[in-house]
Amino acid sequence: MLLEQDAPPLPAEEADPAFRADVLKGFADTRRRAIPARWFYDKTGSELFEEITQLPEYYPTRVETALLARHSSEVAEIAGPGRAVVEFGSGSSIKTPHLLRAVNPAAYVPIDISGDFLRESAAALAADFPGVKVEPVEADFMHPIDLPMSVGELPKLGFFPGSTIGNMIARTSVDLLRAMRESLGVGSLLLIGMDRVKDPAILVRAYDDAAGVTARFNLNLLHRINRELGGTIPVEAFRHRAIWNDLYARVEMHLEATCDVTFGIEGASFSMRRGETIHTENSHKYGQRDARLLLRAGGWTPLREWTDADNMFALILAGA
Ligand code: AVI
Protein backbone atom coordinates (compact mmCIF):
# COMPACT_ATOMS: atom_id res chain seq x y z
CA MET A 1 0.00 0.00 0.00
CA LEU A 2 1.98 2.95 -1.29
CA LEU A 3 -0.22 5.55 0.32
CA GLU A 4 0.33 4.14 3.79
CA GLN A 5 4.10 4.09 3.33
CA ASP A 6 4.29 7.50 1.77
CA ALA A 7 2.06 9.36 4.21
CA PRO A 8 4.21 11.77 6.25
CA PRO A 9 4.71 10.74 9.89
CA LEU A 10 2.47 12.38 12.48
CA PRO A 11 4.23 14.91 14.69
CA ALA A 12 5.35 13.05 17.84
CA GLU A 13 2.99 15.01 20.11
CA GLU A 14 -0.03 13.66 18.21
CA ALA A 15 0.90 10.01 18.73
CA ASP A 16 -1.20 8.09 21.24
CA PRO A 17 1.04 7.68 24.33
CA ALA A 18 -0.43 4.26 25.10
CA PHE A 19 0.42 3.10 21.53
CA ARG A 20 3.96 4.43 21.89
CA ALA A 21 4.41 2.70 25.26
CA ASP A 22 3.08 -0.67 24.00
CA VAL A 23 5.25 -0.57 20.86
CA LEU A 24 8.48 0.39 22.63
CA LYS A 25 7.88 -2.24 25.32
CA GLY A 26 6.84 -4.82 22.72
CA PHE A 27 10.04 -4.47 20.68
CA ALA A 28 12.31 -4.19 23.72
CA ASP A 29 11.39 -7.59 25.18
CA THR A 30 13.75 -9.63 23.00
CA ARG A 31 12.69 -12.96 24.59
CA ARG A 32 9.07 -12.51 23.56
CA ARG A 33 8.36 -9.57 21.29
CA ALA A 34 4.65 -8.77 21.21
CA ILE A 35 2.33 -5.84 20.50
CA PRO A 36 -1.33 -5.97 21.65
CA ALA A 37 -3.82 -6.68 18.84
CA ARG A 38 -5.96 -3.65 19.73
CA TRP A 39 -3.48 -1.47 17.77
CA PHE A 40 -4.48 -3.09 14.47
CA TYR A 41 -7.58 -0.95 14.27
CA ASP A 42 -6.61 2.41 12.84
CA LYS A 43 -8.69 3.54 9.83
CA THR A 44 -6.83 1.29 7.34
CA GLY A 45 -6.82 -1.63 9.79
CA SER A 46 -10.56 -1.33 10.43
CA GLU A 47 -11.23 -1.27 6.66
CA LEU A 48 -9.00 -4.31 6.14
CA PHE A 49 -10.81 -6.13 8.95
CA GLU A 50 -14.14 -5.44 7.19
CA GLU A 51 -12.59 -6.99 4.07
CA ILE A 52 -11.45 -10.02 6.09
CA THR A 53 -15.03 -10.66 7.24
CA GLN A 54 -16.06 -11.10 3.57
CA LEU A 55 -13.27 -13.55 2.65
CA PRO A 56 -14.23 -17.08 1.61
CA GLU A 57 -11.73 -18.54 4.12
CA TYR A 58 -12.92 -16.42 7.06
CA TYR A 59 -16.03 -18.35 8.09
CA PRO A 60 -16.78 -16.82 11.59
CA THR A 61 -18.76 -13.77 10.43
CA ARG A 62 -20.79 -15.74 7.88
CA VAL A 63 -21.58 -18.62 10.23
CA GLU A 64 -22.42 -16.43 13.21
CA THR A 65 -24.69 -14.18 11.13
CA ALA A 66 -26.55 -17.24 9.85
CA LEU A 67 -26.93 -18.54 13.42
CA LEU A 68 -28.36 -15.19 14.52
CA ALA A 69 -30.76 -15.09 11.58
CA ARG A 70 -31.94 -18.56 12.45
CA HIS A 71 -32.10 -18.53 16.23
CA SER A 72 -32.77 -14.95 17.35
CA SER A 73 -36.47 -15.76 17.73
CA GLU A 74 -35.58 -18.48 20.28
CA VAL A 75 -33.40 -15.96 22.14
CA ALA A 76 -36.38 -13.57 22.11
CA GLU A 77 -38.68 -16.24 23.54
CA ILE A 78 -36.32 -16.88 26.46
CA ALA A 79 -35.60 -13.17 27.00
CA GLY A 80 -39.26 -12.13 27.06
CA PRO A 81 -40.49 -8.58 26.38
CA GLY A 82 -39.19 -5.22 27.57
CA ARG A 83 -35.45 -5.91 27.74
CA ALA A 84 -32.64 -3.48 27.04
CA VAL A 85 -30.14 -5.01 24.61
CA VAL A 86 -26.62 -3.94 25.65
CA GLU A 87 -24.02 -4.59 22.97
CA PHE A 88 -20.33 -4.72 23.91
CA GLY A 89 -18.63 -3.16 20.86
CA SER A 90 -20.43 -1.06 18.26
CA GLY A 91 -23.29 -2.77 16.49
CA SER A 92 -22.12 -4.25 13.22
CA SER A 93 -24.40 -3.47 10.34
CA ILE A 94 -25.30 -7.09 9.63
CA LYS A 95 -25.49 -8.93 12.95
CA THR A 96 -27.29 -6.62 15.35
CA PRO A 97 -30.46 -6.07 13.25
CA HIS A 98 -31.24 -9.82 13.35
CA LEU A 99 -31.31 -9.72 17.14
CA LEU A 100 -33.14 -6.39 17.45
CA ARG A 101 -35.82 -7.47 14.97
CA ALA A 102 -36.54 -10.64 16.95
CA VAL A 103 -36.23 -9.28 20.50
CA ASN A 104 -37.92 -5.94 19.79
CA PRO A 105 -36.25 -4.43 22.86
CA ALA A 106 -37.36 -1.36 24.80
CA ALA A 107 -33.85 0.08 24.42
CA TYR A 108 -30.56 -0.63 22.69
CA VAL A 109 -27.29 0.42 24.36
CA PRO A 110 -24.15 0.00 22.20
CA ILE A 111 -20.92 0.44 24.19
CA ASP A 112 -17.65 1.27 22.46
CA ILE A 113 -14.39 2.99 23.26
CA SER A 114 -14.28 4.67 19.84
CA GLY A 115 -16.82 7.53 19.98
CA ASP A 116 -16.95 8.31 16.24
CA PHE A 117 -17.67 4.77 15.12
CA LEU A 118 -20.13 4.34 18.00
CA ARG A 119 -22.17 7.41 17.08
CA GLU A 120 -22.22 6.45 13.39
CA SER A 121 -23.48 2.91 13.94
CA ALA A 122 -25.92 4.03 16.69
CA ALA A 123 -27.45 6.62 14.33
CA ALA A 124 -27.81 4.02 11.57
CA LEU A 125 -29.57 1.56 13.90
CA ALA A 126 -31.81 4.27 15.38
CA ALA A 127 -32.99 5.12 11.85
CA ASP A 128 -33.76 1.46 11.10
CA PHE A 129 -35.51 0.82 14.46
CA PRO A 130 -37.51 3.98 15.19
CA GLY A 131 -39.43 2.29 18.02
CA VAL A 132 -36.26 1.47 19.99
CA LYS A 133 -34.60 4.01 22.30
CA VAL A 134 -30.92 4.01 21.28
CA GLU A 135 -28.52 5.13 24.04
CA PRO A 136 -24.85 4.85 22.99
CA VAL A 137 -22.25 4.78 25.76
CA GLU A 138 -18.62 5.73 25.05
CA ALA A 139 -16.62 3.59 27.46
CA ASP A 140 -14.07 0.80 27.80
CA PHE A 141 -16.20 -2.27 28.40
CA MET A 142 -13.27 -4.15 29.93
CA HIS A 143 -14.33 -2.44 33.18
CA PRO A 144 -17.77 -2.35 34.86
CA ILE A 145 -19.91 0.43 33.33
CA ASP A 146 -22.73 2.56 34.72
CA LEU A 147 -25.53 2.17 32.19
CA PRO A 148 -27.78 5.18 31.38
CA MET A 149 -30.45 5.91 34.05
CA SER A 150 -33.17 5.49 31.42
CA VAL A 151 -32.45 1.74 31.13
CA GLY A 152 -31.66 1.24 34.81
CA GLU A 153 -34.90 -0.58 35.66
CA LEU A 154 -35.12 -2.71 32.50
CA PRO A 155 -33.93 -6.33 32.48
CA LYS A 156 -30.83 -6.60 30.29
CA LEU A 157 -29.73 -8.83 27.43
CA GLY A 158 -25.98 -8.43 26.84
CA PHE A 159 -24.72 -9.13 23.31
CA PHE A 160 -21.07 -9.88 22.55
CA PRO A 161 -20.79 -11.32 19.03
CA GLY A 162 -17.81 -11.83 16.73
CA SER A 163 -15.78 -14.17 18.96
CA THR A 164 -13.95 -11.07 20.18
CA ILE A 165 -13.55 -12.86 23.51
CA GLY A 166 -11.14 -15.16 21.64
CA ASN A 167 -8.65 -12.31 21.28
CA MET A 168 -8.08 -12.33 25.06
CA ILE A 169 -6.08 -14.71 27.18
CA ALA A 170 -8.15 -16.78 29.64
CA ARG A 171 -7.54 -14.56 32.65
CA THR A 172 -8.61 -11.40 30.79
CA SER A 173 -11.71 -13.16 29.36
CA VAL A 174 -12.81 -14.09 32.87
CA ASP A 175 -12.24 -10.53 34.10
CA LEU A 176 -14.30 -9.24 31.18
CA LEU A 177 -17.18 -11.67 31.78
CA ARG A 178 -17.25 -10.62 35.43
CA ALA A 179 -17.22 -6.93 34.48
CA MET A 180 -20.15 -7.60 32.11
CA ARG A 181 -22.05 -9.32 34.90
CA GLU A 182 -21.48 -6.33 37.13
CA SER A 183 -22.55 -3.88 34.40
CA LEU A 184 -25.71 -5.82 33.50
CA GLY A 185 -26.76 -7.03 36.94
CA VAL A 186 -28.27 -10.19 38.40
CA GLY A 187 -31.15 -11.59 36.32
CA SER A 188 -29.61 -10.49 33.04
CA LEU A 189 -28.77 -12.63 30.02
CA LEU A 190 -25.70 -12.67 27.80
CA LEU A 191 -25.62 -13.84 24.17
CA ILE A 192 -22.01 -14.46 23.17
CA GLY A 193 -20.30 -15.79 20.03
CA MET A 194 -17.34 -18.17 20.37
CA ASP A 195 -15.30 -19.82 17.64
CA ARG A 196 -14.88 -23.60 17.98
CA VAL A 197 -11.68 -25.67 17.98
CA LYS A 198 -11.50 -27.43 14.60
CA ASP A 199 -9.13 -28.81 11.97
CA PRO A 200 -6.00 -26.60 12.23
CA ALA A 201 -5.77 -26.41 8.42
CA ILE A 202 -9.18 -24.66 8.30
CA LEU A 203 -8.15 -22.35 11.11
CA VAL A 204 -4.81 -21.38 9.59
CA ARG A 205 -6.44 -20.72 6.19
CA ALA A 206 -8.95 -18.39 7.90
CA TYR A 207 -6.01 -16.30 9.17
CA ASP A 208 -3.78 -16.61 6.10
CA ASP A 209 -6.07 -16.14 3.15
CA ALA A 210 -5.09 -16.66 -0.49
CA ALA A 211 -5.77 -13.01 -1.43
CA GLY A 212 -3.35 -11.80 1.26
CA VAL A 213 -5.85 -9.48 3.01
CA THR A 214 -4.97 -10.78 6.49
CA ALA A 215 -1.27 -10.34 5.65
CA ARG A 216 -1.95 -6.68 4.79
CA PHE A 217 -3.98 -6.31 8.00
CA ASN A 218 -1.06 -7.66 10.05
CA LEU A 219 1.65 -5.69 8.18
CA ASN A 220 -0.40 -2.48 8.49
CA LEU A 221 0.65 -2.43 12.14
CA LEU A 222 4.26 -1.80 11.03
CA HIS A 223 3.11 0.93 8.61
CA ARG A 224 1.15 2.45 11.49
CA ILE A 225 4.26 2.48 13.71
CA ASN A 226 6.24 4.18 10.94
CA ARG A 227 3.45 6.69 10.33
CA GLU A 228 2.49 7.57 13.88
CA LEU A 229 5.72 7.02 15.79
CA GLY A 230 8.21 8.06 13.10
CA GLY A 231 9.52 4.48 12.84
CA THR A 232 11.98 3.37 10.15
CA ILE A 233 10.88 -0.27 9.99
CA PRO A 234 11.57 -1.77 6.53
CA VAL A 235 8.11 -3.31 6.20
CA GLU A 236 9.09 -5.26 3.06
CA ALA A 237 11.57 -7.20 5.23
CA PHE A 238 8.70 -8.76 7.23
CA ARG A 239 6.17 -11.43 6.38
CA HIS A 240 2.84 -12.44 7.85
CA ARG A 241 2.65 -15.76 9.70
CA ALA A 242 -0.43 -17.51 11.10
CA ILE A 243 0.16 -20.63 13.21
CA TRP A 244 -1.99 -22.98 15.26
CA ASN A 245 -0.74 -23.25 18.86
CA ASP A 246 -2.34 -26.46 20.10
CA LEU A 247 -1.18 -26.08 23.70
CA TYR A 248 -3.13 -22.84 24.04
CA ALA A 249 -5.86 -23.76 21.52
CA ARG A 250 -5.33 -20.58 19.57
CA VAL A 251 -4.33 -19.19 16.20
CA GLU A 252 -1.40 -16.82 16.61
CA MET A 253 -0.44 -14.10 14.18
CA HIS A 254 3.19 -13.04 13.98
CA LEU A 255 5.33 -10.77 11.81
CA GLU A 256 8.55 -12.52 10.88
CA ALA A 257 11.80 -10.81 9.83
CA THR A 258 12.93 -12.35 6.53
CA CYS A 259 16.50 -11.00 6.98
CA ASP A 260 18.52 -9.35 9.76
CA VAL A 261 17.08 -5.86 10.29
CA THR A 262 17.86 -2.77 12.37
CA PHE A 263 15.42 0.11 12.67
CA GLY A 264 14.53 3.05 14.87
CA ILE A 265 11.37 4.08 16.68
CA GLU A 266 11.36 7.46 18.41
CA GLY A 267 15.10 7.53 19.05
CA ALA A 268 15.35 3.90 20.22
CA SER A 269 17.15 1.38 18.01
CA PHE A 270 16.04 -2.26 17.60
CA SER A 271 17.56 -5.23 15.81
CA MET A 272 15.90 -8.47 14.80
CA ARG A 273 17.59 -11.52 13.33
CA ARG A 274 16.21 -13.32 10.31
CA GLY A 275 13.39 -15.67 11.46
CA GLU A 276 12.63 -13.71 14.65
CA THR A 277 9.00 -12.68 15.04
CA ILE A 278 6.84 -10.16 16.74
CA HIS A 279 3.63 -11.68 18.09
CA THR A 280 0.63 -9.53 17.13
CA GLU A 281 -2.55 -11.50 17.88
CA ASN A 282 -4.08 -14.49 19.65
CA SER A 283 -7.41 -15.88 18.55
CA HIS A 284 -8.47 -18.55 21.05
CA LYS A 285 -10.89 -21.28 20.03
CA TYR A 286 -13.23 -23.05 22.43
CA GLY A 287 -14.55 -26.61 22.57
CA GLN A 288 -18.04 -27.05 24.01
CA ARG A 289 -16.88 -27.80 27.55
CA ASP A 290 -14.16 -25.10 27.53
CA ALA A 291 -16.73 -22.50 26.52
CA ARG A 292 -19.11 -23.50 29.31
CA LEU A 293 -16.32 -23.54 31.89
CA LEU A 294 -15.11 -20.09 30.78
CA LEU A 295 -18.62 -18.67 31.17
CA ARG A 296 -19.07 -20.22 34.60
CA ALA A 297 -15.68 -18.89 35.72
CA GLY A 298 -16.92 -15.44 34.65
CA GLY A 299 -20.10 -15.75 36.73
CA TRP A 300 -22.50 -16.82 33.95
CA THR A 301 -24.59 -20.01 33.74
CA PRO A 302 -24.88 -21.38 30.20
CA LEU A 303 -28.58 -21.85 29.32
CA ARG A 304 -28.75 -22.66 25.60
CA GLU A 305 -26.35 -22.91 22.71
CA TRP A 306 -26.69 -23.04 18.97
CA THR A 307 -24.09 -24.22 16.46
CA ASP A 308 -24.05 -24.80 12.71
CA ALA A 309 -24.16 -28.31 11.21
CA ASP A 310 -20.33 -28.46 11.01
CA ASN A 311 -19.87 -27.17 14.58
CA MET A 312 -17.69 -24.32 13.33
CA PHE A 313 -19.01 -21.61 15.61
CA ALA A 314 -21.25 -21.36 18.69
CA LEU A 315 -23.75 -18.80 19.92
CA ILE A 316 -24.29 -19.26 23.64
CA LEU A 317 -26.98 -17.77 25.84
CA ALA A 318 -26.05 -17.53 29.50
CA GLY A 319 -27.73 -16.12 32.59
CA ALA A 320 -26.39 -14.17 35.57
C1 AVI B 1 -11.80 -9.39 15.86
N1 AVI B 1 -11.41 -10.81 15.99
C2 AVI B 1 -12.48 -11.59 16.57
C3 AVI B 1 -10.81 -11.38 14.77
C4 AVI B 1 -10.43 -12.86 15.03
O1 AVI B 1 -10.89 -13.70 14.26
O2 AVI B 1 -9.70 -13.14 15.97
C5 AVI B 1 -9.60 -10.60 14.32
C6 AVI B 1 -8.89 -11.18 13.13
N2 AVI B 1 -7.60 -11.29 12.98
C7 AVI B 1 -7.31 -11.83 11.82
N3 AVI B 1 -8.44 -12.11 11.21
C8 AVI B 1 -9.44 -11.70 12.01
Side-chain angles (χ1 to χ4, degrees):
M1 287 222 143
L2 268 176
L3 263 178
E4 289 159 32
Q5 277 159 309
D6 292 343
L10 285 179
E13 65 272 16
E14 279 180 34
D16 183 329
F19 180 44
R20 178 189 298 125
D22 278 352
V23 168
L24 292 175
K25 184 162 163 270
F27 276 111
D29 184 352
T30 51
R31 283 171 312 120
R32 204 193 141 270
R33 293 182 213 263
I35 296 176
R38 60 188 277 236
W39 300 114
F40 279 140
Y41 300 93
D42 64 350
K43 189 168 176 293
T44 308
S46 302
E47 284 165 6
L48 286 168
F49 178 64
E50 275 310 305
E51 243 184 272
I52 287 174
T53 64
Q54 317 280 327
L55 291 168
E57 296 96 331
Y58 193 76
Y59 59 86
T61 309
R62 232 179 1 263
V63 177
E64 186 182 40
T65 306
L67 287 172
L68 277 165
R70 191 159 180 185
H71 299 292
S72 283
S73 55
E74 292 162 71
V75 175
E77 246 170 66
I78 299 168
R83 293 234 174 211
V85 168
V86 178
E87 180 163 359
F88 296 92
S90 277
S92 89
S93 48
I94 43 169
K95 289 177 197 169
T96 312
H98 288 296
L99 187 67
L100 296 187
R101 228 173 279 128
V103 171
N104 189 21
Y108 168 64
V109 183
I111 304 171
D112 205 285
I113 200 160
S114 150
D116 291 344
F117 191 57
L118 174 71
R119 277 182 288 277
E120 252 173 56
S121 58
L125 280 160
D128 288 346
F129 294 88
V132 179
K133 186 198 239 343
V134 178
E135 297 256 26
V137 173
E138 188 173 343
D140 176 4
F141 59 68
M142 297 303 293
H143 305 286
I145 290 163
D146 287 327
L147 295 175
M149 298 272 274
S150 56
V151 302
E153 298 301 312
L154 302 175
K156 315 289 185 309
L157 167 61
F159 184 42
F160 193 40
S163 71
T164 305
I165 195 147
N167 295 130
M168 295 157 211
I169 59 169
R171 182 165 21 99
T172 314
S173 316
V174 170
D175 289 347
L176 171 62
L177 289 166
R178 286 174 186 231
M180 286 173 166
R181 190 177 190 275
E182 207 172 317
S183 304
L184 299 176
V186 174
S188 50
L189 294 169
L190 176 67
L191 183 64
I192 185 168
M194 290 197 203
D195 197 10
R196 288 286 202 227
V197 175
K198 59 184 67 63
D199 178 353
I202 297 176
L203 285 166
V204 169
R205 265 201 302 278
Y207 291 82
D208 194 5
D209 59 282
V213 182
T214 312
R216 275 160 53 210
F217 174 71
N218 199 3
L219 287 160
N220 178 57
L221 182 62
L222 300 182
H223 287 303
R224 183 176 184 186
I225 294 168
N226 285 350
R227 211 164 40 231
E228 294 184 22
L229 304 176
T232 59
I233 304 170
V235 181
E236 64 291 345
F238 284 83
R239 71 172 179 131
H240 166 66
R241 296 289 314 275
I243 56 169
W244 171 246
N245 182 332
D246 197 62
L247 190 61
Y248 288 87
R250 68 191 186 199
V251 176
E252 294 179 1
M253 298 211 312
H254 293 255
L255 289 163
E256 181 186 313
T258 56
C259 56
D260 295 355
V261 279
T262 297
F263 49 87
I265 302 170
E266 294 205 330
S269 173
F270 301 97
S271 294
M272 289 175 68
R273 305 297 300 262
R274 179 175 168 216
E276 271 192 76
T277 75
I278 178 136
H279 186 168
T280 50
E281 188 182 61
N282 291 315
S283 198
H284 296 83
K285 309 301 169 189
Y286 290 97
Q288 189 181 54
R289 287 195 173 85
D290 314 325
R292 293 175 182 169
L293 178 62
L294 183 71
L295 283 163
R296 285 204 304 277
W300 294 90
T301 306
L303 301 172
R304 283 288 304 270
E305 62 193 39
W306 299 274
T307 59
D308 53 298
D310 299 319
N311 198 25
M312 301 280 270
F313 196 94
L315 258 186
I316 307 174
L317 185 68

